[in-house]
Amino acid sequence: MHKLISILTFVLLFLGFTFGQVFEISPPNMNFGNVVVGSNSVLQATVNNTGTSDLVITNIVSSDGQYTFAPNTFPITIIAGGSQIIDVTFTPTSTGLVTGDLTFTHNASGSPTTY
């Protein structure tokens, strides 16, 4: 019986099925374009869990205070097959090119994930 389960697991993985939690985020990056100092712009990222069990995001950290996000209360639980929209707000405090990262800590393989 154990060998049958192992073979079945191998076949399912070969066909692209995943087990556990899977963290995927889209779009792959954000470009806020030109935003006037003193105003803000909001873009959305979607975190998808294509796995078979709950994905739990325990923290998100911004590398630059000009980038904030919501929701910002943790943990955020995304059920298997579910998704969560993350609103990212850019509020520039000076002119010029500004880059930043959001780092997601979660219970899926590869944590933390830098976006």
Side-chain angles (χ1 to χ4, degrees), residues 79-104:
I79 63 169
S83 62
Q84 172 70 53
I85 293 175
I86 306 292
D87 290 323
V88 181
T89 303
F90 174 53
T91 308
T93 58
S94 61
T95 60
L97 179 64
V98 180
T99 61
D101 296 319
L102 296 180
T103 301
F104 291 78

Side-chain angles (χ1 to χ4, degrees), residues 7-84:
I7 292 170
L8 179 59
T9 301
F10 174 78
V11 169
L12 290 173
L13 289 172
F14 180 77
L15 293 174
F17 290 91
T18 56
F19 297 93
Q21 317 76 9
V22 177
F23 181 96
E24 295 177 350
I25 191 165
S26 62
N29 55 50
M30 294 183 163
N31 183 344
F32 287 88
N34 295 320
V35 181
V36 176
V37 173
S39 65
N40 66 49
S41 178
V42 179
L43 295 177
Q44 293 183 325
T46 303
V47 176
N48 294 298
N49 176 13
T50 57
T52 57
S53 60
D54 290 352
L55 171 67
V56 180
I57 300 171
T58 54
N59 200 17
I60 305 172
V61 176
S62 176
S63 66
D64 186 318
Q66 297 173 97
Y67 295 96
T68 57
F69 51 87
N72 55 11
T73 303
F74 304 99
I76 299 169
T77 301
I78 305 171
I79 63 169
S83 62
Q84 172 70 53

